[in-house]
């Protein structure tokens, strides 16, 4: 990733005729594989991945630059029926991404029939992005028998009959190249919006916070992971070969704090060790990582607490006119 300024006009001079570019809003219900697909296209992990639903909370750009195109994937939180203010923030963040998209990539889990949440997403696409082309990627073909694939895919196509579609496996790779070709084909001609070596627009300390949260999701069970937020308090390069990072893991109750810390601090050490190895690869130095656990009671239901933790509700805007 780079934050160096660049000359957009000089980049345009190097582009071939017919160069495509645009923003692709990747939407779907929780745990259908949105982050997995984006990471696969970028060849590097930009968005955190977990088998637990509602892992993605923030809008996350993944920038794929080729000679003929620059595809800016906007990975969004899973659209679901929110139970608290954090859920409302996540759904509104996903809907907000639709308003500026050149293309909507709707990822569905074709190993199951459409759910109420899938029908809700179809309704949102019709109301919030009526003029934006939609491409349905029917993911997880590796987990479904051929007869069920035909039945389930037909049911999804009925939800948005005018949308084009393709069956894929984000993890195994089936249909991934064909899907990318379909995406690029539907983007408008345009310039590069980001330098060719930039993979995301997320600040480094925010990426580090997400890595720590991902490791907590991996090691913890039951409800605790959904009650976790991570804030990097200090990020300092102490030498050419050492970076100091201090982060706070917030939970909602004292009982959750005890679980995250674990007996004699064992769980917190496990989370820290897993996170440190990945953070070192990202920052390119050894890392001294200090983790603290604090209780911020019922933060998922408290708008002020959400803002303090970096979850700011997008402002309602009018749809982009085309």
């Amino acid at each position: 990733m780079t934050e160096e300024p660049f000359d957009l006009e000089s980049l345009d001079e190097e582009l071939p005729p017919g160069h495509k570019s645009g923003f692709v809003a990747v939407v779907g219900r929780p745990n259908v594989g949105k982050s997995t697909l984006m990471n696969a296209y970028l060849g590097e992990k930009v968005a955190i991945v977990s088998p637990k639903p509602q892992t993605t909370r923030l809008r996350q750009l993944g920038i794929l630059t080729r000679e003929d195109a620059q595809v800016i994937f906007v990975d969004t939180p899973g659209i679901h029926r929110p139970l608290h203010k954090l859920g409302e923030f996540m759904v509104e963040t996903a809907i907000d991404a639709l308003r500026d998209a050149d293309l909507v990539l709707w990822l569905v889990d074709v190993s199951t029939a459409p759910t109420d949440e899938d029908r809700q997403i179809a309704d949102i696409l019709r109301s919030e992005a009526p003029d934006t082309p939609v491409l349905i990627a029917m993911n997880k073909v590796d987990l479904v028998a051929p007869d069920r694939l035909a039945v389930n895919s037909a049911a999804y196509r009925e939800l948005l009959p005018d949308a084009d579609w393709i069956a894929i496996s984000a993890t195994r790779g089936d249909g991934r190249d064909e899907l990318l070709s379909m995406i690029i084909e539907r983007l408008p001609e345009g310039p590069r919006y980001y330098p060719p070596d930039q993979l995301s627009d997320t600040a480094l300390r925010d990426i580090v916070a997400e890595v720590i949260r991902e490791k907590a999701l991996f090691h913890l069970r039951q409800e605790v992971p959904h009650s976790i937020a991570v804030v990097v308090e200090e990020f300092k390069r102490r030498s050419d070969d050492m970076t100091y990072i201090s982060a706070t893991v917030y939970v909602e109750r004292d009982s959750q704090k005890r679980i995250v810390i674990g007996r004699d601090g064992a769980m917190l050490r496990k989370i820290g060790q897993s996170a440190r190895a990945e953070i070192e690869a990202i920052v390119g130095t050894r890392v001294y990582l200090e983790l603290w656990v604090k209780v911020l009671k019922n933060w998922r239901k408290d708008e002020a607490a959400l803002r303090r933790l970096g979850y700011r509700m997008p402002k309602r805007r009018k749809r982009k006119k085309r």
Side-chain angles (χ1 to χ4, degrees):
M1 298 178 194
T2 179
E3 295 182 2
E4 293 295 321
F6 66 103
D7 184 349
L8 188 61
E9 291 185 4
S10 67
L11 284 181
D12 289 348
E13 291 172 3
E14 302 169 5
L15 300 181
H19 181 272
K20 298 288 193 77
S21 63
F23 290 79
V24 180
V26 186
V27 301
R29 59 183 168 88
N31 214 28
V32 294
K34 298 183 295 297
S35 298
T36 298
L37 180 65
M38 189 175 79
N39 289 340
Y41 280 139
L42 298 178
E44 190 170 320
K45 191 165 84 171
V46 170
I48 68 172
V49 177
S50 163
K52 296 179 173 65
Q54 299 173 31
T55 296
T56 300
R57 289 177 177 171
L58 299 167
R59 159 199 164 281
Q60 172 85 59
L61 289 196
I63 305 161
L64 174 64
T65 301
R66 312 189 333 174
E67 182 179 353
D68 62 335
Q70 185 172 78
V71 185
I72 302 138
F73 294 101
V74 186
D75 187 22
T76 64
I79 295 176
H80 60 287
R81 298 193 186 282
L83 301 176
H84 38 60
K85 289 293 182 182
L86 175 62
E88 292 176 14
F89 162 83
M90 292 163 64
V91 171
E92 191 60 34
T93 296
I95 293 174
D96 190 61
L98 299 175
R99 300 189 181 108
D100 293 320
D102 297 289
L103 175 70
V104 175
L105 178 61
W106 180 17
L107 212 64
V108 303
D109 180 356
V110 78
S111 69
T112 67
T115 66
D116 288 342
E117 287 177 337
D118 291 307
R119 286 183 274 274
Q120 176 193 4
I121 292 168
D123 290 341
I124 289 171
L125 293 178
R126 281 190 288 267
S127 63
E128 298 293 339
D131 302 319
T132 305
V134 177
L135 184 54
I136 306 175
M138 302 200 188
N139 192 26
K140 305 190 181 183
V141 294
D142 51 318
L143 301 180
V144 61
D147 57 335
R148 290 308 308 169
L149 174 61
V151 172
N152 291 347
S153 62
Y156 282 107
R157 295 199 304 273
E158 286 179 7
L159 297 180
L160 281 183
D162 294 333
D164 293 322
W165 64 278
I166 184 174
I168 68 163
S169 168
T171 53
R172 199 170 67 182
D174 309 40
R176 267 198 330 235
D177 291 343
E178 292 85 348
L179 173 59
L180 183 58
S181 296
M182 293 174 74
I183 291 170
I184 293 173
E185 186 179 294
R186 286 159 176 75
L187 291 180
E189 293 187 10
R192 285 180 182 162
Y193 296 100
Y194 296 91
D197 59 344
Q198 185 170 341
L199 294 179
S200 179
D201 68 340
T202 305
L204 192 55
R205 67 166 51 214
D206 293 332
I207 292 173
V208 167
E210 285 291 87
V211 168
I212 295 167
R213 188 167 68 88
E214 179 189 55
K215 302 313 175 187
L217 286 169
F218 178 79
H219 289 292
L220 294 166
R221 295 190 296 272
Q222 299 173 346
E223 171 62 15
V224 175
H226 297 297
S227 302
I228 283 177
V230 178
V231 175
V232 172
E233 311 287 358
E234 200 169 347
F235 190 112
K236 288 184 178 178
R237 181 70 70 93
R238 291 248 170 114
S239 69
D240 290 341
D241 191 40
M242 174 61 70
T243 302
Y244 170 76
I245 298 172
S246 173
T248 301
V249 178
Y250 287 96
V251 293
E252 292 187 307
R253 299 192 295 273
D254 289 323
S255 60
Q256 295 169 345
K257 179 179 178 178
R258 290 192 292 271
I259 293 170
V260 173
I261 294 173
R263 186 172 183 178
D264 298 323
M267 177 57 72
L268 192 61
R269 282 196 301 274
K270 189 181 294 185
I271 294 169
Q273 288 166 359
S274 299
R276 186 174 64 248
E278 190 162 320
I279 294 167
E280 287 179 339
I282 293 170
V283 302
T285 71
R286 291 181 298 125
V287 167
Y288 186 89
L289 177 63
E290 278 193 317
L291 296 181
W292 308 89
V293 184
K294 294 183 180 179
V295 175
L296 187 57
K297 290 189 181 297
N298 298 319
W299 66 264
R300 289 182 294 173
K301 299 179 180 179
D302 185 336
E303 278 195 50
L306 285 169
R307 288 194 297 271
R308 173 180 167 185
L309 297 174
Y311 301 111
R312 297 182 180 275
M313 189 74 75
K315 292 181 179 179
R316 272 283 181 178
R317 298 178 292 119
K318 293 182 179 180
R319 292 191 302 269
K320 181 177 69 173
K321 292 185 178 180
R322 297 181 178 274

